[in-house]
Amino acid sequence: METQKFSYDNGIVRAFLIATVVFGLVGFLLGLTAALLLFYPELPEFFLGTDDPTIRTLRSEGLQGLVNSQGAFGFGRIRMMHTSMVIFAFVGNSFFSGFYYSIQRLLKTRMWSDTLSWIHFWGWQLVLVSTIITFFMGLNTSKEYAEHEWPIDILITVVWVLFGLNMFATVAIRRVRHLYVAIWFYIGTWVAVAMLHIFNNLEVPLSFTTWKSYSAYAGVKDALVQWWYGHNAVAFFLTTPVLGMMYYFVPKAADRPVFSYKLSIIHFWSLIFVYIWAGPHHLQYTALPAWAQAVGTGFSIMLIAPSWGGMLNGLLTLRGAWDKVRENPVLKFFVVAVTCYGMATFEGPLLATKTVNKVGHFTDWVIGHVHLGALGWNGFMAFGVIYYLVPILWRTKLWSVKLANWHFWLGTFGIIFYAVPLYISGFTQGLMWKQFNPDGTLVYKNWLDTVTAILPYFKMRFVGGFLYFSGAILMVVNLVATARKGSFQKEVPAEAPALANVKKGRKEGETFHLWLERTPLYLSILSFIVLAIGGALEILPTIFVKDNVPTISAVKPYSPLELEGRDIYIREGCNACHSQMIRPFRDEVVRFNGKNGQYSKA
């Protein structure tokens, strides 16, 4: 068979790698700033100055500073910038870096189009920079993880489609017959994110000369579509692409095969089928129809099985290689990352149950849970991939293993000091809110009673974030020194036999999944069907069956003044802390004095 010579493109890998590190530092710094604002809200005025004498009152135990410290540097806008930079900039760029490195080697071919690779790179960085600028200016939709206004949504769509075109065209010119498990996850990621992004961001611009737009959905339908997207942004931007990297980089770093091929198949198909249904668990006890809440809970609990199957497949790949974990910082990061994945995917279904949800929802417990996944699973996987790639790309050894180990321990203690205080804070909040006096009045009527009780935990959380950020600074020093010691190789020569033509149909004795692995078109179509089932069966009835959303005569459209107030509320990111959702609990109805003693209804 003819052997063909070609080269791998490391230039695009390096570009995304540098962007990962740069935007990672930006995202971490914004997160530290948001954490600091929670117990020192006058921070912007401290740097920018003010002629308001009440701004300094927190120093003398006052709380007026909480009221007076707002604006472009306020918590609401900073938080939006932080979440987008960590999710789409840090994790996104780390995935693209690992993707471009691994897919070329798994398929034994160069990317189909270098031009599309670079359009993808610069297009994505343009998305990120425009996101920072517009959020800082107060231009956002308020939708969690989808706050970008309509021009940026269109840009994301174009960049994502071009990225997919390059990926599928590269699969088409491959020199390896069967697609490895990592590529299944890459394809599933692309299909799911395209579907989620387009349907959640259907919106109507006020005009084509302004940035402002309104969602095509309203009320409970908007909430359902948003959390179908929000939960699955975690699933298909923070989980499946990172699992694809796990299936490539963990075996490579450990020099061991994946523990179980069959478990990989079960993991992939069950995960993408079950995950898409779980979104309504974010809307327990809300105006969402009860059947949708129940479905969300049921599928969330089922999600433990595929998630832990993937975790075990990752950890058991290290069988016989645990001695290497002591010496190799890359494997240390991977082990903690996969462990945090297991912990977060057990805790998530727990929080989805109504019993736990009524105490945990809207509290800092949820913030601790999210950051266990973000700092541990996403962050440590990204760090492991970075430490694996840099010495290979620059053809040298890591400048300092000791410094990488310091980074590992600072990061690990950072996660502990971040998550544990927030768990305690969350339990404190949830229990305080529900306390009643014997005469039936609330023990803690004032929200500030809860806020002042948890301030020490906010400070401990800041310490954890600072430790994590310090480890990232050590990483940057180590990477720069490693790159300066080595020499970068942009074009890596390679050779492989050409792929022989075979018939599309199944061969005699060939299993269905083996056949599927060598027919990417059918694999992609089946992935789309499996992904679309859950969303369609949950969302379409709410949109088309009128009985799901009864008409309430007292509910009227916003007046112009109310709409202007809502726009300001969204501009400042107030919805991040103030949900306005009154649930059917005695403590909430009493505390918020719902209209006629009512809770929020569809």
Side-chain angles (χ1 to χ4, degrees), residues 228-291:
W228 169 73
Y229 167 89
H231 182 76
N232 290 303
V234 174
F236 295 101
F237 204 87
L238 297 178
T239 303
T240 53
V242 185
L243 285 168
M245 293 201 296
M246 179 195 83
Y247 274 111
Y248 179 82
F249 288 102
V250 171
K252 293 290 282 186
D255 197 23
R256 290 286 188 279
V258 169
F259 170 68
S260 171
Y261 164 69
K262 286 183 179 177
L263 188 54
S264 302
I265 296 172
I266 296 168
H267 179 207
F268 174 70
W269 291 108
S270 58
L271 190 80
I272 68 169
F273 175 72
V274 173
Y275 230 133
I276 208 87
W277 293 78
H281 78 215
H282 290 263
L283 298 167
Q284 300 284 31
Y285 296 107
T286 68
L288 191 71
W291 68 263

Side-chain angles (χ1 to χ4, degrees), residues 190-507:
W190 187 87
V191 172
V193 171
M195 181 173 68
L196 292 163
H197 175 74
I198 290 168
F199 282 100
N200 184 52
N201 290 298
L202 293 174
E203 53 213 354
V204 182
L206 278 184
S207 80
F208 292 110
T209 57
T210 65
W211 285 77
K212 186 65 190 165
S213 68
Y214 290 100
S215 174
Y217 312 101
V220 75
K221 298 167 189 174
D222 189 32
L224 177 57
V225 173
Q226 157 55 30
W227 281 110
W228 169 73
Y229 167 89
H231 182 76
N232 290 303
V234 174
F236 295 101
F237 204 87
L238 297 178
T239 303
T240 53
V242 185
L243 285 168
M245 293 201 296
M246 179 195 83
Y247 274 111
Y248 179 82
F249 288 102
V250 171
K252 293 290 282 186
D255 197 23
R256 290 286 188 279
V258 169
F259 170 68
S260 171
Y261 164 69
K262 286 183 179 177
L263 188 54
S264 302
I265 296 172
I266 296 168
H267 179 207
F268 174 70
W269 291 108
S270 58
L271 190 80
I272 68 169
F273 175 72
V274 173
Y275 230 133
I276 208 87
W277 293 78
H281 78 215
H282 290 263
L283 298 167
Q284 300 284 31
Y285 296 107
T286 68
L288 191 71
W291 68 263
Q293 296 180 41
V295 168
T297 301
F299 276 89
S300 298
I301 293 166
M302 279 191 270
L303 198 52
I304 294 174
S307 298
W308 274 47
M311 174 194 71
L312 291 171
N313 218 7
L315 289 178
L316 291 173
T317 297
L318 295 170
R319 71 204 186 288
W322 283 99
D323 56 314
K324 295 180 181 179
V325 177
R326 283 197 301 272
E327 312 295 330
N328 189 344
V330 172
L331 288 176
K332 283 191 179 78
F333 279 107
F334 285 159
V335 167
V336 171
V338 176
T339 304
C340 285
Y341 171 61
M343 291 162 66
T345 52
F346 177 77
E347 187 184 18
L350 191 70
L351 281 162
T353 62
K354 285 204 159 189
T355 306
V356 178
N357 187 278
K358 67 184 177 186
V359 176
H361 203 56
F362 295 138
T363 73
D364 287 340
W365 183 355
V366 177
I367 316 302
H369 161 67
V370 167
H371 281 81
L372 181 67
L375 300 174
W377 165 234
N378 297 126
F380 269 36
M381 274 301 295
F383 295 146
V385 169
I386 291 166
Y387 280 121
Y388 177 86
L389 285 178
V390 168
I392 290 174
L393 296 178
W394 273 270
R395 296 182 293 177
T396 185
K397 288 188 174 180
L398 190 63
W399 180 65
S400 172
V401 172
K402 184 178 285 188
L403 213 57
N405 282 323
W406 266 99
H407 176 197
F408 169 78
W409 287 112
L410 280 171
T412 301
F413 281 111
I415 294 167
I416 294 167
F417 274 92
Y418 193 105
V420 173
L422 285 189
Y423 289 143
I424 300 169
S425 168
F427 302 152
T428 303
Q429 284 172 302
L431 295 173
M432 284 179 74
W433 293 342
K434 293 191 174 296
Q435 296 301 306
F436 277 90
N437 291 310
D439 64 354
T441 58
L442 285 161
V443 175
Y444 305 101
K445 299 182 185 70
N446 194 330
W447 275 106
L448 291 176
D449 294 335
T450 325
V451 173
T452 50
I454 61 180
L455 281 175
Y457 306 115
F458 283 168
K459 293 172 182 176
M460 290 172 69
R461 180 256 289 270
F462 177 80
V463 171
F466 183 76
L467 290 172
Y468 197 88
F469 181 70
S470 302
I473 296 293
L474 293 185
M475 177 187 74
V476 173
V477 172
N478 209 355
L479 297 181
V480 170
T482 303
R484 292 179 67 176
K485 187 176 76 163
S487 63
F488 181 75
Q489 186 178 19
K490 187 175 184 300
E491 304 287 336
V492 181
E495 57 180 50
L499 200 62
N501 288 322
V502 296
K503 65 175 184 177
K504 291 276 189 201
R506 281 172 66 179
K507 301 174 190 172

